[in-house]
């Protein structure tokens, strides 16, 4: 029973202080003990181990070979204990920096407005967010979490589905008063259609008519590489555009933009994922961020592929998974859409 009461970690810490400071009295000052107490601890340790750990003279102190070996083991053991305790404390109260990479428009309109609540919940976490349409390389350490749209490319990363968003064709009332309202998709041939200028998987706008899905080529006098620019051009009355719904929630609600050709909208949906390095060693600060985003972006109603005419929570998109889960990113796919 007596052996169970031995404070082995205390002995290790005392011995390492002696080895580091080079004398019993210096170690005693560091530890807040008396020199005689430190001497007793070292002597007790040597007696229990049955070896000499320290050779002492009136002026010097050095470790024996056994003392050097014990010091190495003690450092490793105490470091392991510290790491384990830090990991447990981190789970209880996550702290540290988490870096988020997201497309400019979605980040500004959707992710940034959520961050005040996140840091309120987790005051020990600092957030570094990068709003860019360039895809950050997580494996190279450029971000901890990336928010990505569409089909995921081949990757060893883990993906958490946050939700999905659709696209809507819109124009301003001023443009429609001047150019007329398209009633069927074919009417777009007479309109100035503003589209993206980066390479797209679909060379046109998709429609569904009489149960048939098809792409309709459109044209106009302006293109852009991001949805925010297209929305601004459309608000200025230059033409008609088709963008992700999260871009235009407020504009639709206020009447600044008007949805068009909704009976022909194929209700194509684009998945939104958080992509990150998964596994058991994933820091708690990253885990709680992903859980938070999944919570905040979950729509109160709606299912995958189901149009939500009231636009419920489209700012955060709709979550089709009833239970959040992580999964390995697929090994096949196309380039990610950042629009």
């Amino acid at each position: 029973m007596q052996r169970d009461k031995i404070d082995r970690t205390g002995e290790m810490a005392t011995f390492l202080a002696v080895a580091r400071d080079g004398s019993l009295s210096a170690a005693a000052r560091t530890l807040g003990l008396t020199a005689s107490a430190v001497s007793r601890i070292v002597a007790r340790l040597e007696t229990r181990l049955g070896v000499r750990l320290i050779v002492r003279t009136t002026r010097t102190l050095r470790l024996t070979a056994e003392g050097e070996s014990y010091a190495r083991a003690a450092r490793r053991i105490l470091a392991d204990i510290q790491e384990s305790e830090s990991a447990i404390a981190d789970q209880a109260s996550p702290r540290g920096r988490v870096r988020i990479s997201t497309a400019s428009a979605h980040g500004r309109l959707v992710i940034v407005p959520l961050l005040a609540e996140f840091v309120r919940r987790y005051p020990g976490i600092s957030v570094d967010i990068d709003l860019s349409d360039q895809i950050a390389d997580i494996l190279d350490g450029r971000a901890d979490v990336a928010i990505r749209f569409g089909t995921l490319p081949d990757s060893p990363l883990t993906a958490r589905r946050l939700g999905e968003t659709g696209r809507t064709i819109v124009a301003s009332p001023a443009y429609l008063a001047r150019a007329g309202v398209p009633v069927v998709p074919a009417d777009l041939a007479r309109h100035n259609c503003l589209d993206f200028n980066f390479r797209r998987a679909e060379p046109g706008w998709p429609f569904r008519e009489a149960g048939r899905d098809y792409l309709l080529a459109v044209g106009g006098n302006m293109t852009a590489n991001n949805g925010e620019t297209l929305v601004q051009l459309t608000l200025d009355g230059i033409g008609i555009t088709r963008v992700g719904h999260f871009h235009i929630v407020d504009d639709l609600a206020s009447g600044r933009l008007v949805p068009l050709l909704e009976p022909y909208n194929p209700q194509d949906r684009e998945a939104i994922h958080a992509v990150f390095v998964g596994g058991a060693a994933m820091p708690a600060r990253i885990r709680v961020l992903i859980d938070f985003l999944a919570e905040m972006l979950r729509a109160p109603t709606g299912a995958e592929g189901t149009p939500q005419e009231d636009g419920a929570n489209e700012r955060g998109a709709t979550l089709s998974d009833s239970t959040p889960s992580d999964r390995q990113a697929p090994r096949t796919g196309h380039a990610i859409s950042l629009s």
Side-chain angles (χ1 to χ4, degrees), residues 166-169 184-186 188 195-196 200-209 212-218 241-243 260-270:
R167 294 177 182 271
T168 303
I169 297 174
V184 296
L188 293 177
D195 205 2
F196 293 94
R200 301 179 59 79
E202 297 179 340
W205 291 356
F207 293 98
R208 178 172 298 157
E209 192 168 0
R212 181 178 67 91
D213 290 340
Y214 64 96
L215 292 176
L216 180 69
V218 296
T241 195
R242 181 177 186 267
V243 292
L260 302 173
L261 302 171
E262 281 297 278
Y264 304 94
N265 190 334
Q267 303 300 338
D268 52 320
R269 311 296 289 178
E270 192 170 42

Side-chain angles (χ1 to χ4, degrees), residues 87 90-91 158 276-284 287 326:
D90 187 42
Q91 294 292 335
T158 300
F276 51 96
V277 177
M282 182 172 65
R287 167 64 65 184
D326 298 343

Side-chain angles (χ1 to χ4, degrees), residues 232-303:
Q232 185 58 57
L233 294 172
T234 304
L235 287 168
D236 291 341
I238 293 174
I240 296 173
T241 195
R242 181 177 186 267
V243 292
H245 200 83
F246 65 85
H247 284 287
I248 52 175
V249 173
D250 294 338
D251 295 318
L252 290 175
S254 67
R256 291 189 297 267
L257 291 177
V258 178
L260 302 173
L261 302 171
E262 281 297 278
Y264 304 94
N265 190 334
Q267 303 300 338
D268 52 320
R269 311 296 289 178
E270 192 170 42
I272 304 173
H273 288 93
V275 180
F276 51 96
V277 177
M282 182 172 65
R285 64 184 182 275
I286 298 176
R287 167 64 65 184
V288 296
L289 171 66
I290 294 167
D291 288 344
F292 172 82
L293 292 176
E295 172 195 344
M296 299 303 288
L297 301 185
R298 182 180 298 118
T301 59

